[in-house]
Amino acid sequence: MVNAIYAMKNYPIMMVNAFVSPLAFLIVLTLVSRGALFGVAVIGGLIMALTSSGLSLQGDLVHFKVDFKLQDMVVSSPTTAFIYLFGMAISELIYYLPGIAVLLAMAFINLKFGLFPTLQVTGAMILMFVLATALGFMLSTHISDIMESWAVTGVVSILLSTIPPVYYPITYIPLPYRYAAYLSPTTYAAQIAQQAMGYIHFPQVTIDIDWIVLIGVSVVLLLISVKKTRWREI
Amino acid sequence: MNGRLECNSIIKQYKDGRTALKSVTFDIKLSGIFALIGRNGAGKTTLVRILATELLPTSGMASLDGNDIIRDAKNVREIMAIVPQEARPIQWMTPRQTIISSLLWRGFGYGDSRKRADDVLDQFGLTGYKDKPNRFLSGGIKRKMLVATALASEARIIFLDEPTTGLDPISRKELWDVLNEQKKKRFIFLTTHYLEEAEALADSIGILENGELLAIGTMEELRSKVRYPYTVRVNGGMDLTSIAGVVIQENGGYQQIMTSKEEAYSISKRLIQNGVTFSISPVSLNDIFFFFAKRRVDGEKE
Ligand SMILES: Nc1ncnc2c1ncn2[C@@H]1O[C@H](COP(=O)(O)OP(=O)(O)OP(=O)(O)O)[C@@H](O)[C@H]1O
Ligand SMILES: [Mg+2]
């Protein structure tokens, strides 16, 4: 965790990056849709910020492991894999915190919805964060080269952030293609959030299924991550 | 809790089929300094990583203070710290931040970490660098800083994989002093290519070659294993085949032979008569190393 604070203290550009990246999409989308999609984009930005922090965790961990042998040093110390994961995830989150704070502020000022939708949106966001982080951590322990890590990031981020309709309502995608979006857990999170805010109107059953799928996928991915994490090399 | 490092028939075959360790067995006390020497690719790093619970052996077992490195990995990890061979400090942190954050990771409180960091930086003569980002430091200073990071912790077992590679002679001596001080409180397992370093620092020494542990023991024990107490180094080509001893090194310029006291005496007489320059010295770790390495090669030829 201190790592991130030290990083920002010593490299202010990281702070700027933390503000800029989630906001860029938001601005583009709001302009393109002439404000109509502002709410979707704000919430989409939040979900994306949390998901990408999990993805960039993978890249950072590979970098630390390969270039600095940090994983070796941590393995041979009282620090457990879980504490390492937890600390690094929090520190990764800190990078995104400024952006998240701005998005949250915007959401509070501009969007009005009740307690229950807020809880739903928050729940979906937290699930995505946990899922992406665990996945990123597991992948990082298997990757032995930073180039490989970039490739993996490319593939996973297409799955988690390019395909899914996070920044616009899912109904914008014509039907046969819409099924492709359901390959990504992010889609379910976005759908839950968009429904909660009233941007889309699916039958309640669909949303219930979304929750089941999202939680199910998260649990499965978490289990895979825990089982397949290669803490000690072979 | 037996205060020993036991290693029993450790074999490591990497995924690509390469056998890096061929049944390594030894048993040493967990105190003082143990130095593992061996040429590039001998398997030193592989052995260190296995003992430090970073790498699974293909077969065999090892334990530190009675804790199995596989079954009781958690207990072992509680009491150790390592500086891997290729470790580098994180570029954008300063030495002080690096040490503090590593201590925080180990579970120290912030105040305690700060104090320990300042103490160890002082001990290593690094106080002047403590607030400079690591990327501005020279290679040797970075290396020293990493060793300081491991020694700042409470760990009783410290693994240092080539801690003095890249250090200038004076820094190396300074690090030796620190390690000599530290070994009173903890066990230090280091690898090195500098034979004089092993000789100067280590309470016991292991010679690893091509995945095999050729010899292990104190300097005295190693000396007694080679039987010959003296090394004669002769400049220029002179026929030494008639002498009872072992030729350990030969090249155009000189020959080096290990031999007994009597032979050393008679050779020197002959060499003086022939006007050949030479020197005689007690067997050094260098000679012992070449003796074992050569014996292995000769053994293979037969
Ligand atoms: N990850 C790996 N996969 C396959 N082979 C490996 C791997 N790491 C090391 N080796 C091989 O195992 C052997 C021992 O390597 P190791 O790094 O343990 O040697 P070393 O004694 O530490 O050498 P050096 O003095 O150069 O550091 C070498 O032949 C090396 O090529
Ligand atoms: Mg090595």
Side-chain angles (χ1 to χ4, degrees):
Chain A
M1 180 148 57
V2 282
N3 293 32
I5 295 171
Y6 285 149
M8 292 215 204
K9 194 167 137 199
N10 301 344
Y11 272 160
I13 183 74
M14 297 187 101
M15 184 89 108
V16 177
N17 180 46
F19 273 108
V20 166
S21 41
L23 290 185
F25 243 105
L26 172 70
I27 292 166
V28 171
L29 250 141
T30 312
L31 287 180
V32 169
S33 70
R34 294 175 201 280
L37 290 181
F38 178 73
V40 175
V42 168
I43 298 300
L46 280 170
I47 292 180
M48 252 4 275
L50 289 166
T51 309
S52 27
S53 91
L55 288 180
S56 49
L57 177 70
Q58 182 263 113
D60 283 7
L61 288 180
V62 171
H63 173 52
F64 284 141
K65 163 174 137 174
V66 176
D67 298 331
F68 304 112
K69 300 285 169 207
L70 189 65
Q71 185 174 324
D72 278 0
M73 285 191 263
V74 174
V75 169
S76 307
S77 85
T79 313
T80 60
F82 181 75
I83 292 182
Y84 183 56
L85 163 61
F86 188 76
M88 290 312 247
I90 300 288
S91 90
E92 204 68 49
L93 197 56
I94 289 179
Y95 292 124
Y96 286 86
L97 218 49
I100 291 176
V102 172
L103 288 170
L104 275 181
M106 287 183 171
F108 272 110
I109 295 167
N110 297 301
L111 307 174
K112 305 251 178 307
F113 43 92
L115 180 64
F116 188 59
T118 311
L119 285 181
Q120 279 185 304
V121 173
T122 314
M125 275 166 29
I126 291 174
L127 269 178
M128 276 315 294
F129 176 63
V130 172
L131 184 157
T133 303
L135 193 65
F137 181 70
M138 188 269 287
L139 289 172
S140 82
T141 62
H142 285 267
I143 297 170
S144 51
D145 195 304
I146 194 81
M147 304 283 274
E148 192 185 352
S149 157
W150 290 332
V152 171
T153 305
V155 174
V156 178
S157 74
I158 284 180
L159 186 66
L160 289 188
S161 48
T162 312
I163 300 179
V166 191
Y167 293 101
Y168 50 90
I170 185 157
T171 40
Y172 279 30
I173 309 178
L175 240 197
Y177 302 107
R178 208 185 285 172
Y179 295 116
Y182 286 110
L183 287 174
S184 166
T186 326
T187 306
Y188 301 95
Q191 198 163 297
I192 291 169
Q194 290 167 9
Q195 173 95 357
M197 289 162 22
Y199 284 94
I200 50 174
H201 303 280
F202 282 129
Q204 187 56 37
V205 191
T206 319
I207 300 304
D208 290 344
I209 293 176
D210 281 347
W211 276 112
I212 292 168
V213 174
L214 184 61
I215 292 174
V217 171
S218 300
V219 168
V220 169
L221 282 178
L222 274 181
L223 283 180
I224 294 178
S225 301
V226 171
K227 275 248 169 340
K228 292 289 170 189
T229 292
R230 187 175 291 164
W231 193 232
R232 187 190 322 226
E233 290 177 24
I234 53 167
Chain B
M1 294 297 140
N2 56 9
R4 303 199 73 82
L5 191 179
E6 291 160 294
C7 193
N8 203 339
S9 316
I10 291 278
I11 294 177
K12 179 65 195 181
Q13 183 168 28
Y14 281 109
K15 269 173 289 178
D16 61 0
R18 199 182 185 95
T19 306
L21 294 175
K22 304 169 184 163
S23 196
V24 171
T25 300
F26 63 95
D27 179 351
I28 53 175
K29 248 199 359 244
L30 275 181
S31 67
I33 297 179
F34 174 73
L36 187 63
I37 59 175
R39 305 182 44 199
N40 290 132
K44 302 181 294 297
T45 299
T46 306
L47 183 58
V48 166
R49 296 191 71 223
I50 288 174
L51 294 176
T53 73
E54 289 161 21
L55 184 69
L56 272 182
T58 310
S59 67
M61 54 177 286
S63 63
L64 292 153
D65 205 10
N67 296 301
D68 188 287
I69 54 155
I70 298 167
R71 255 183 304 115
D72 313 318
K74 195 174 172 304
N75 297 349
V76 183
R77 288 170 179 159
E78 289 290 336
I79 53 171
M80 72 177 158
I82 189 172
V83 180
Q85 180 172 2
E86 287 167 2
R88 288 193 295 141
I90 290 171
Q91 303 281 351
W92 38 261
M93 288 202 201
T94 66
R96 193 156 176 270
Q97 291 172 340
T98 308
I99 298 175
I100 292 176
S101 68
S102 90
L103 292 175
L104 291 175
W105 276 116
R106 289 186 84 99
F108 285 92
Y110 186 63
D112 205 6
S113 305
R114 255 181 24 188
K115 188 176 170 320
R116 278 175 169 264
D118 288 337
D119 287 350
V120 80
L121 284 165
D122 184 47
Q123 193 185 3
F124 276 76
L126 292 173
T127 307
Y129 299 98
K130 69 178 182 184
D131 292 324
K132 271 193 176 186
N134 292 331
R135 66 178 184 288
F136 295 143
L137 304 178
S138 75
I141 301 285
K142 285 186 205 163
R143 201 78 208 136
K144 264 173 130 173
M145 213 240 355
L146 286 170
V147 176
T149 307
L151 292 177
S153 76
E154 79 304 351
R156 283 198 287 119
I157 300 175
I158 311 271
F159 288 97
L160 304 173
D161 198 351
E162 297 191 21
T164 60
T165 300
L167 296 197
D168 66 64
I170 294 172
S171 298
R172 178 170 304 147
K173 287 265 161 39
E174 285 170 3
L175 187 58
W176 290 3
D177 291 341
V178 176
L179 295 180
N180 264 324
E181 187 56 36
Q182 291 284 336
K183 77 172 190 183
K184 294 174 191 158
K185 295 180 289 191
R186 42 189 25 157
F187 170 66
I188 300 172
F189 186 124
L190 61 85
T191 74
T192 181
H193 289 144
Y194 300 104
L195 303 181
E196 78 278 10
E197 175 166 302
E199 204 166 346
L201 275 182
D203 299 295
S204 60
I205 297 169
I207 303 177
L208 193 65
E209 188 54 42
N210 211 355
E212 291 172 57
L213 193 64
L214 300 182
I216 187 165
T218 61
M219 199 52 211
E220 277 322 302
E221 287 163 353
L222 292 179
R223 275 211 183 91
S224 69
K225 277 183 193 157
V226 301
R227 298 189 308 275
Y228 301 107
Y230 289 99
T231 315
V232 183
R233 184 183 154 124
V234 182
N235 295 317
M238 184 175 163
D239 184 23
L240 295 176
T241 44
S242 58
I243 296 163
V246 198
V247 179
I248 49 170
Q249 253 185 354
E250 261 178 305
N251 65 30
Y254 65 91
Q255 305 173 73
Q256 208 156 330
I257 183 166
M258 285 163 97
T259 187
S260 64
K261 194 170 164 186
E262 295 72 31
E263 281 284 358
Y265 181 68
S266 75
I267 305 172
S268 27
K269 245 180 17 197
R270 262 172 54 201
L271 290 173
I272 292 170
Q273 280 162 5
N274 291 331
V276 179
T277 56
F278 68 99
S279 60
I280 296 188
S281 51
V283 164
S284 68
L285 182 58
N286 212 357
D287 304 325
I288 296 173
F289 181 71
F290 281 108
F291 172 83
F292 281 108
K294 186 161 192 313
R295 192 170 73 172
R296 200 182 66 84
V297 174
D298 291 347
E300 273 175 5
K301 275 187 208 141
E302 278 158 23

